[in-house]
Amino acid sequence: MQATVGDHLHVHSNTVGASDRIAEIVEVRGADGQPPYLVRFPDGHESLVFPGPDSVVEPSQR
């Protein structure tokens, strides 16, 4: 998994009835675009994320 600042991290829900979560990547802390990522969710909450197999990086529309 590789990302750049501005990409989106899409975390698919693994619970029935729960929504997927999408966050903007604001900082890449791993080497060469690798995790962990500092992300900002739409509600303004920021978190350091180590994405699992239920996550995908969606490139930004630059």
Side-chain angles (χ1 to χ4, degrees):
M1 179 177 291
Q2 288 188 313
T4 58
V5 172
D7 290 348
H8 288 92
L9 183 66
H10 186 150
V11 181
H12 297 281
S13 173
N14 59 4
T15 304
V16 174
S19 300
D20 290 357
R21 297 191 71 190
I22 298 176
E24 179 184 0
I25 296 173
V26 295
E27 186 178 337
V28 177
R29 295 196 178 173
D32 298 322
Q34 298 295 315
Y37 305 127
L38 182 64
V39 300
R40 182 179 303 124
F41 292 95
D43 65 359
H45 173 78
E46 292 187 358
S47 182
L48 186 63
V49 177
F50 293 81
D54 58 347
S55 303
V56 293
V57 172
E58 299 173 345
S60 65
Q61 303 294 327
R62 291 185 202 138

